[in-house]
Amino acid sequence: MQLWLIPVLPLAGFLLNGIFGRRFSKTVVNAIAIGSVLLSFVWVLKTLAGLGDLNAAHTEQYFTWIQSGSLNIGFDFTVDRLTAVMLLVVTGVGLLIHIYSIGYMAHEGGYYRFFAYMNLFMFFMLTLVLAANYLVMFVGWEGVGLCSYLLIGFYFDKKFATDAGNKAFIVNRIGDFGFSLAMFLIVVNFGSLDFGTVFTSVAGKSEATLTAIAFLLLVGACGKSAQIPLYVWLPDAMAGPTPVSALIHAATMVTAGVYMVARSAAIYTHAPAAMEAVAIIGLATAFFAATIGLAQNDIKKVFAYSTVSQLGYMFLGAGVGAFSAGIYHLVTHAFFKALLFLGAGSVIHALGGEQDVRNMGGLRKKIPWTFWTMMCASVAIAGVPPFAGFYSKDAILAAADRHAPWMYWVGVITAGMTAFYVFRAIFLAFFGNYRGKAHPHESPLVMIGPLAVLAALSLGGGYFFKVPEFLAPLFPLAEEGHDIGPVVVSVAFGLAGIALAWLFYVAKPGLPDQVVAAFNGLYKLIYNKYFVDEIYAAVVVNPVVSGSREVLWKGVDVAVIDGAVNGVGSQARGIGGVLKRVQSGNIRSYAAWVLLGSVVLLFVMGVMGGLR
Amino acid sequence: MSAGVPLSWYLILSAVLFSLGIAGFILRRNVITVFMSIELMLNAVNLSFITFSYQLKQVNGHIFSFFVMVVAAAEAAVGLAIILTVFKNRSTLNIDDVSSMKK
């Protein structure tokens, strides 16, 4: 079915725009960048249509990549139902965001560079999703990390942007370290990295081994998907252009960890301790990120912490065994979070770069399209039935309730906070009186169009795309003892969050300040994000930096290594300085030395009796 | 060995000639003289070879001295060629003036 065309089309777009883009007009750059993603999307549709019901995985082997002893790693792609879902999300949402970017990036420098990177990202993301073994997946995994770094630091003349890019890259290295170790363990224990081979032979392995592999994979997933304790890079990643935040840091790349955990479900289901860790990390991340989101004033930061929090939900779903619910939430989240970011981008675009919600307000009338589409995303993320977020979040919470009721309750409280902080941002930005100075203007059609499509998907995506049923052959559905109680409670919490936001930020605008005054310490704590960055700086970054500088650089490098090298050099020079006096070039002195040597030799031989 | 001339006289003559060669080689500065001193040393060694060969009634010493003569002839050819070239280029036969290798 020529699966390779799916990632290679964006790669071709990247090469064309990357090499020749400087000379192309914007129209040509657009045509190449959007055209390649569109073709890729069409090819995904054609492929999936041609593959029928996909109950069995369809694998294509292109060439042997690594052959060493019994280890044989091929460059193989595979499509099963899980891959199909991811392909549609990546190419579909990716296409919409590419189109949106035409409008958003219209006045930015480095236009072709932006689209080249975006195409490259699509290539790596599709490679990651299509991979038939862990190593090919790792190629995509590293590649999307590279593109993430390049696009976070897109405004490379701004220090904070390049710093954020470095932070993302370095934090991701920690996760990749776990992923690499997991791959080594898999090779040692299974003798293969192929998904098919590994997952079918899981049953015979010891639980300790599988738990170790699962934990190491979890480290990788935590890095890529911004889970505690490695989530710190994602909020900073908002330094990149907003379409990047929508595509890479909300809809696709950051969900790679969830995808990887779901893909490795066979390993995780045999490692209950690791499953529990996934669930607890997910839940803790969901909760803490949501609390931080309550007090952020930068509209992109609010949505960034929201993304971290929602990714936590996906991990919770996977951790309690509802892999399909996690993927379901991944899909709906891709719709509504991409929409929230693109909407935020539209607001920022309208206000000429303003990102602080305190300087917005009253935009409802001025940019109605943006307002209404973002409203759709907000009700979806808040879990209002029957919109997309309701279905997926409900599926996760129901699974959590079956697993452990306390997880359900923490999840429900988080859902309430989610509704609150999203609507807080919406109400601050769109209601009340306008507090800014710029003159807002509605975004062009090329931006509104994708917003409208995503709004439709946010509203109806949960109802029309029944992902868990579609994935049932891979992840069997839980027995359907559907209790209405937990659903009602979680919806009630969501609505309560919205109502509270309305009360605080529309009905009684003075109230938040009183609440802040009452809980000043707590507010300071969450406003400063629990001082996690500061703690990391004090505990990890500064010791490493100063240790590197004082011990490794000035101590080991300069004193020991340079000292040894320079010492050898100066010793050789000193000895040479003495010896060169002998090499005078004066033949008679050489002769004298020869004579002296012969005499000494004769004398010694005489003394030792050698002459007899 | 004919009667009356003992072995030690030949060897003492050889040693004296060799020492003269060394002294000439080390003390003189003229390249030609140095060269002749080398020849003198070689011939001193030849003399001792022949002496021992005669004394021991063996032909080895004669053969060795022929070899030495051949080498000396070859060396003379090469050495004189070098001396000529040096003289053409430097207009000197003083051996201390051709020590430029050390720079």
Side-chain angles (χ1 to χ4, degrees):
Chain A
M1 289 304 291
Q2 311 294 330
L3 291 178
W4 58 275
L5 268 177
I6 297 170
V8 163
L9 284 165
L11 180 67
F14 158 71
L15 290 174
L16 280 175
N17 271 343
I19 297 171
F20 306 112
R22 191 189 292 272
R23 269 172 242 131
F24 289 163
S25 69
K26 282 188 178 178
T27 321
V28 179
V29 171
N30 290 340
I32 292 171
I34 284 92
S36 65
V37 178
L38 177 66
L39 284 176
S40 183
F41 179 57
V42 170
W43 196 256
V44 167
L45 293 178
K46 183 180 176 305
T47 308
L48 294 182
L51 285 173
D53 62 0
L54 269 177
N55 278 327
H58 167 79
T59 305
E60 290 185 4
Q61 302 181 329
Y62 297 112
F63 57 88
T64 301
W65 182 11
I66 294 172
Q67 170 101 55
S68 172
S70 62
L71 181 67
N72 190 342
I73 298 171
F75 205 93
D76 306 337
F77 284 162
T78 189
V79 175
D80 62 3
R81 292 196 165 200
L82 178 58
T83 313
V85 171
M86 292 300 290
L87 282 177
L88 287 171
V89 170
V90 171
T91 52
V93 176
L95 175 63
L96 291 172
I97 294 173
H98 272 74
I99 295 171
Y100 172 94
S101 304
I102 297 175
Y104 188 83
M105 298 301 289
H107 309 299
E108 304 279 350
Y111 191 77
Y112 75 95
R113 190 163 57 90
F114 176 83
F115 278 103
Y117 289 163
M118 290 285 269
N119 275 178
L120 184 65
F121 169 78
M122 294 297 286
F123 163 69
F124 280 123
M125 190 68 205
L126 291 167
T127 307
L128 191 164
V129 168
L130 281 166
N133 60 49
Y134 278 106
L135 200 62
V136 176
M137 187 190 214
F138 193 63
V139 170
W141 186 273
E142 290 299 302
V144 292
L146 167 71
C147 296
S148 163
Y149 162 78
L150 289 172
L151 284 164
I152 293 170
F154 181 75
Y155 301 118
F156 57 79
D157 52 350
K158 297 203 171 62
K159 180 85 166 71
F160 69 89
T162 54
D163 282 350
N166 288 340
K167 187 172 178 182
F169 203 75
I170 292 166
V171 173
N172 268 298
R173 290 279 75 66
I174 300 170
D176 298 341
F177 158 78
F179 195 160
S180 313
L181 289 182
M183 283 199 294
F184 299 153
L185 263 183
I186 292 172
V187 169
V188 168
N189 286 291
F190 293 88
S192 171
L193 284 172
D194 281 336
F195 291 145
T197 319
V198 172
F199 298 154
T200 47
S201 51
V202 157
K205 307 294 176 192
S206 76
E207 189 180 319
T209 309
L210 293 172
T211 306
I213 292 172
F215 264 106
L216 288 168
L217 286 176
L218 176 60
V219 172
C222 281
K224 193 60 85 194
S225 289
Q227 297 296 294
I228 288 174
L230 300 178
Y231 72 93
V232 289
W233 65 272
L234 186 55
D236 286 20
M238 300 304 139
T242 306
V244 172
S245 307
L247 176 62
I248 302 184
H249 306 119
T252 54
M253 184 191 83
V254 288
T255 61
V258 182
Y259 167 74
M260 193 254 277
V261 170
R263 174 59 78 195
S264 312
I267 295 176
Y268 277 93
T269 44
H270 286 81
M275 285 277 275
E276 197 68 20
V278 172
I280 288 172
I281 285 179
L283 192 63
T285 309
F287 182 80
F288 283 107
T291 56
I292 296 172
L294 295 177
Q296 299 305 307
N297 288 321
D298 182 330
I299 190 165
K300 285 183 74 180
K301 279 274 160 68
V302 174
F303 296 147
Y305 279 105
S306 168
T307 304
V308 175
S309 173
Q310 299 299 310
L311 288 165
Y313 268 117
M314 297 174 208
F315 272 73
L316 173 64
V320 297
F323 294 101
S324 57
I327 297 296
Y328 196 11
H329 199 54
L330 187 161
V331 174
T332 57
H333 176 257
F335 297 151
F336 59 67
K337 187 51 62 64
L339 176 52
L340 280 177
F341 269 114
L342 295 185
S346 179
V347 170
I348 295 164
H349 189 76
L351 298 181
E354 181 59 59
Q355 299 196 7
D356 194 325
V357 285
R358 287 170 299 190
N359 296 334
M360 297 177 185
L363 298 176
R364 182 167 38 124
K365 297 273 165 46
K366 297 186 162 70
I367 44 175
W369 276 98
T370 307
F371 166 68
W372 283 111
T373 50
M374 281 186 83
M375 207 62 193
C376 297
S378 305
V379 291
I381 192 175
V384 176
F387 306 125
F390 163 72
Y391 288 96
S392 54
K393 199 177 284 184
D394 179 50
I396 290 174
L397 289 175
D401 194 28
R402 281 194 294 275
H403 183 75
W406 69 272
M407 287 185 174
Y408 165 77
W409 284 106
V410 177
V412 165
I413 292 167
T414 308
M417 287 194 289
T418 307
F420 177 80
Y421 66 65
V422 169
F423 273 89
R424 168 179 174 270
I426 297 291
F427 289 148
L428 279 174
F430 291 100
F431 287 76
N433 295 318
Y434 182 54
R435 298 181 292 275
K437 293 185 185 63
H439 294 287
H441 54 91
E442 184 59 288
S443 299
L445 188 62
V446 74
M447 290 166 72
I448 298 299
L451 289 182
V453 176
L454 282 169
L457 289 169
S458 298
L459 294 181
Y463 182 78
F464 289 107
F465 304 136
K466 291 289 187 195
V467 176
E469 279 81 355
F470 182 69
L471 294 178
L474 288 170
F475 309 116
L477 291 170
E479 70 286 1
E480 209 48 50
H482 212 79
D483 201 352
I484 196 72
V487 181
V488 172
V489 172
S490 70
V491 169
F493 267 81
L495 293 174
I498 298 173
L500 201 62
W502 174 266
L503 180 69
F504 270 33
Y505 297 102
V506 181
K508 289 204 169 69
L511 208 52
D513 292 337
Q514 292 168 22
V515 176
V516 166
F519 300 98
N520 198 19
L522 195 61
Y523 177 78
K524 282 258 163 57
L525 188 65
I526 62 172
Y527 180 76
N528 290 301
K529 307 150 195 164
Y530 296 104
F531 298 98
V532 168
D533 277 335
E534 286 77 6
I535 293 169
Y536 279 8
V539 176
V540 181
V541 179
N542 287 343
V544 168
V545 169
S546 58
S548 304
R549 179 170 294 146
E550 301 301 331
V551 178
L552 294 179
W553 174 24
K554 291 182 180 165
V556 175
D557 202 35
V558 172
V560 178
I561 296 176
D562 287 5
V565 172
N566 290 338
V568 168
S570 65
Q571 281 305 309
R573 189 182 287 245
I575 294 168
V578 174
L579 289 180
K580 78 175 181 189
R581 291 169 208 278
V582 177
Q583 300 288 335
S584 61
N586 188 337
I587 293 171
R588 292 181 305 121
S589 83
Y590 294 166
W593 283 110
V594 172
L595 177 66
L596 186 67
S598 329
V599 169
V600 169
L601 207 60
L602 280 172
F603 182 74
V604 169
M605 285 169 79
V607 170
M608 309 263 294
L611 286 177
R612 266 190 289 279
Chain B
M1 183 140 320
S2 56
V5 184
L7 176 68
S8 56
W9 289 22
Y10 291 97
L11 293 182
I12 288 168
L13 176 62
S14 169
V16 168
L17 287 174
F18 193 82
S19 302
L20 283 173
I22 288 173
F25 188 89
I26 290 179
L27 298 176
R28 302 306 295 262
R29 287 187 175 76
N30 189 305
V31 183
I32 303 285
T33 317
V34 168
F35 203 68
M36 283 157 59
S37 304
I38 295 171
E39 295 297 323
L40 192 58
M41 284 190 275
L42 288 169
N43 283 318
V45 173
N46 273 350
L47 180 59
S48 59
F49 270 130
I50 301 291
T51 306
F52 283 117
S53 180
Y54 191 80
Q55 173 76 18
L56 300 172
K57 306 292 184 223
Q58 281 183 348
V59 80
N60 303 22
H62 289 84
I63 292 171
F64 263 107
S65 65
F66 280 125
F67 271 113
V68 172
M69 278 182 214
V70 170
V71 171
E75 183 233 327
V78 176
L80 284 170
I82 292 173
I83 290 168
L84 275 175
T85 315
V86 168
F87 186 74
K88 265 188 193 165
N89 285 318
R90 306 258 175 126
S91 306
T92 177
L93 286 178
N94 189 337
I95 201 166
D96 288 348
D97 291 347
V98 285
S99 62
S100 58
M101 199 178 78
K102 76 177 169 188
K103 295 285 157 50

